[in-house]
Amino acid sequence: MMHLIPQPTSVQPAGGVFVLTADTAITISPATPEVTAVAELLAARLRPATGYPLPIRPSGEWPASGPLVSLALDADDTALGQEGYTLHITPDAVALTAHQPAGLFYGVQTLRQLLPPAIESATPEPGPWPLPAGTIRDTPRFAWRGLMLDVARHFFGVADVKRVIDLAAAYKLNRLHLHLADDQGWRIAIKSWPELARVGGQTAVTTADGRTWPGGYYTQADYADIVAYAASRYVTVVPEIDMPGHTNAALAAYAELNPDGQTRPPYTGIEVGFSTLALDKEITYRFIDDVVGELAALTPGDYLHIGGDEALATNKDDYVRFIERVQEIVAGHGKRMVGWEEIGQARLSPTSIAQHWAPGHAAAAAAQGAGVILSPAPRVYLDMKYDDTTPLGLIWAGTISVRTAYDWQPETQLPGVAESSLLGVEAALWAETLTTIDEVEFMLFPRLPGVAEAGWSAAGRDWDSYRARLAAQGARWERMGVKFFRSGEVEWK
Ligand code: TNX
């Protein structure tokens, strides 16, 4: 049985199985660094549980007789696009082909899910290791399939972020949006404004039980490490510096950024909407230009997120002027501006992107030709509780069951926004109540795969089918040590 998430575009089962053995080899064609790296990731995933050597060889150099798993780029199959793949499994061989390396990476993720759950074990397991015969052809619905992680309310270190990247990429997500600055913390070292991290990086939200938490921040080397790790998993990092509101950590570090020229005390509560940069001072725009410039230089992806949400301490005209000026600064550093949907009130360039969450400005952004990312809070704010008994999480957008996070249609989410404006979907994990990676995993799983399927699968989305496929993931998460919520909506195997 194939229990795949996200559901592929087409699956044609055939009879029989291919079985991985101690003689299986992996061949690659062409033997470029990218194709080699994907093969290495596959081998690294299969070796611990199987104990097999699984050597990697350029395709011509291996005798065609032994059992093979081949990874090949097909220059002619342009219909597969940047991310599509075909996986053809017979009793004799596994042939994975793609037009581009990202497609091979996604084919590998599918291959993982076709093997028994024990393949995810870090130590040898008895096997056997069958793969069901058949042909899968698979391309994504949307180019943007994201997860936002709030590292500002509580800080999550490099190892935690890499773990999140691995778990997200396994479900074919391709954007990691890092919410790097908010009222409670500034999490990225900026060389031209060193107090941001030194002062603003010290704080974090005091949790409801009265506990205080250490802050933390990424050095520029840490951030580069995250970006490179993400890139190796075909994930683009989208850094966010939230402004002009949600800026108390910066306002505590530099007096001159404040409207009254006085530093603000640190803030560890969870209210929103009280802070603002001084919108009428030139120093503010020099600050933004410096921060955006350093972040842009560290970020190979096309996008830079400037927040723009809940600027409740700012009047609308000032807000609009501010966003339009920041849009120019971001463009000046060669990036596309992304902002929460409130930026739809400003004049947007068609290269800018608005992220829908709740307040009703996404249609205005789309009407100007901007792209729209869907993060509807009542569906994909995975910091909301599962139900009234969930020990973690908030509830302002309602409770979000596994079904609620899955069972919605991107194309009908926003009346007045055409499907052609939709770049894709993004789950958001705000961290006011979350302090450890186990808690992050508990809120993401089992809901995140449902959002991933909304982003990837154009067809075959159905709650009953999904529920059965999700049930099969539990045994994998156990092997991976994922601390998922055993929701009663799913009959776990
Ligand atoms: C709203 S969504 C916020 C965040 C909070 C979140 C908590 C958005 C753009 N702003 O500041 O962390 O709710 O769920």
Side-chain angles (χ1 to χ4, degrees):
M1 260 310 272
M2 300 194 188
H3 286 298
L4 298 171
I5 298 176
Q7 179 65 45
T9 312
S10 102
V11 177
Q12 292 169 308
V17 292
F18 175 90
V19 183
L20 289 179
T21 70
D23 297 327
T24 304
I26 298 173
T27 68
I28 51 174
S29 164
T32 59
E34 289 89 349
V35 176
T36 306
V38 174
E40 298 281 6
L41 288 174
L42 172 62
R45 173 54 56 191
L46 304 182
R47 283 173 187 148
T50 63
Y52 302 154
L54 300 165
I56 298 167
R57 302 269 186 274
S59 60
E61 292 175 17
W62 196 262
S65 56
L68 291 183
V69 175
S70 66
L71 273 55
L73 292 182
D74 181 345
D76 297 329
D77 200 346
T78 53
L80 289 175
Q82 287 293 313
E83 301 188 308
Y85 65 92
T86 64
L87 188 56
H88 185 59
I89 302 173
T90 69
D92 300 323
V94 174
L96 170 59
T97 61
H99 185 56
Q100 296 292 331
L104 293 178
F105 179 81
Y106 294 126
V108 164
Q109 304 319 309
T110 297
L111 204 156
R112 277 171 76 179
Q113 290 188 23
L114 291 173
L115 284 160
I119 198 66
E120 301 294 343
S121 174
T123 51
E125 296 266 346
W129 306 107
L131 284 151
T135 301
I136 294 174
R137 189 174 169 91
D138 197 12
T139 54
R141 176 177 187 186
F142 290 115
W144 189 294
R145 304 179 305 277
L147 168 62
M148 189 216 73
L149 182 64
D150 173 11
V151 297
R153 271 53 177 269
H154 289 102
F155 181 65
F156 298 94
V158 174
D160 290 347
V161 176
K162 288 180 176 177
R163 166 91 170 163
V164 168
I165 289 168
D166 280 334
L167 294 173
Y171 293 96
K172 303 185 174 75
L173 295 179
N174 67 355
R175 302 278 185 268
L176 177 69
H177 166 180
L178 286 177
H179 186 74
L180 289 168
D182 210 301
D183 290 318
Q184 301 89 346
W186 184 284
R187 308 298 182 205
I188 176 78
I190 299 296
K191 290 180 177 164
S192 52
W193 294 74
E195 302 297 295
L196 291 169
R198 203 187 63 77
V199 175
Q202 282 178 24
T203 41
V205 166
T206 299
T207 38
D209 56 7
R211 289 174 74 183
T212 59
W213 296 85
Y217 63 88
Y218 306 119
T219 64
Q220 294 203 350
D222 289 338
Y223 180 80
D225 186 20
I226 290 170
V227 166
Y229 189 88
S232 72
R233 273 86 180 148
Y234 294 90
V235 170
T236 300
V237 172
V238 180
E240 177 187 354
I241 300 294
D242 204 344
M243 57 180 117
H246 289 278
T247 41
N248 194 79
L251 299 172
Y254 285 100
E256 57 267 47
L257 299 176
N258 286 273
D260 63 3
Q262 309 277 322
T263 50
R264 288 290 171 277
Y267 182 71
T268 63
I270 65 166
E271 296 304 315
V272 299
F274 59 88
S275 57
T276 185
L277 296 169
L279 301 193
D280 54 357
K281 290 191 197 170
E282 275 314 297
I283 184 85
T284 295
Y285 300 94
R286 239 183 301 146
F287 160 78
I288 294 169
D289 189 56
D290 289 341
V291 170
V292 167
E294 289 193 35
L295 259 186
L298 290 165
T299 305
D302 291 341
Y303 315 100
L304 209 140
H305 201 305
I306 58 88
D309 59 311
E310 300 173 318
L312 307 178
T314 309
N315 76 49
K316 185 187 162 186
D317 290 345
D318 290 346
Y319 174 81
V320 163
R321 264 194 301 278
F322 174 83
I323 294 295
E324 290 170 2
R325 196 157 167 192
V326 172
Q327 180 171 248
E328 277 176 33
I329 293 172
V330 172
H333 290 284
K335 300 296 179 190
R336 291 176 68 173
M337 182 178 81
V338 190
W340 297 104
E341 67 183 296
E342 287 96 320
I343 66 167
Q345 299 168 98
R347 253 177 311 169
L348 296 181
S349 125
T351 59
S352 290
I353 297 169
Q355 184 165 11
H356 161 62
W357 62 285
H361 300 292
Q368 302 185 64
V372 173
I373 302 166
L374 297 176
S375 301
R379 297 288 184 180
V380 305
Y381 266 31
L382 302 186
D383 59 312
M384 295 301 123
K385 293 175 183 290
Y386 288 91
D387 59 44
D388 294 338
T389 69
T390 309
L392 304 164
L394 301 176
I395 205 158
W396 69 263
T399 55
I400 301 183
S401 66
V402 178
R403 181 168 188 166
T404 301
Y406 174 77
D407 208 357
W408 60 283
Q409 308 305 329
E411 65 276 17
T412 53
Q413 183 61 33
L414 280 177
V417 175
E419 203 173 331
S420 57
S421 293
L422 300 180
L423 299 183
V425 305
E426 185 171 296
L429 193 68
W430 300 98
E432 285 93 335
T433 67
L434 311 177
T435 57
T436 65
I437 184 69
D438 286 356
E439 292 174 351
V440 165
E441 290 176 7
F442 181 84
M443 298 309 268
L444 291 181
F445 292 91
R447 292 181 293 192
L448 184 65
V451 184
E453 182 156 303
W456 181 279
S457 307
R461 291 192 60 223
D462 165 76
W463 167 246
D464 287 325
S465 144
Y466 177 72
R467 200 169 148 265
R469 289 180 283 121
L470 189 59
Q473 304 297 309
R476 293 175 191 280
W477 297 333
E478 281 166 11
R479 299 307 200 295
M480 298 156 97
V482 174
K483 306 291 189 308
F484 65 103
F485 170 56
R486 292 187 161 270
S487 165
E489 298 169 85
V490 179
E491 287 162 33
W492 302 104
K493 298 230 175 69

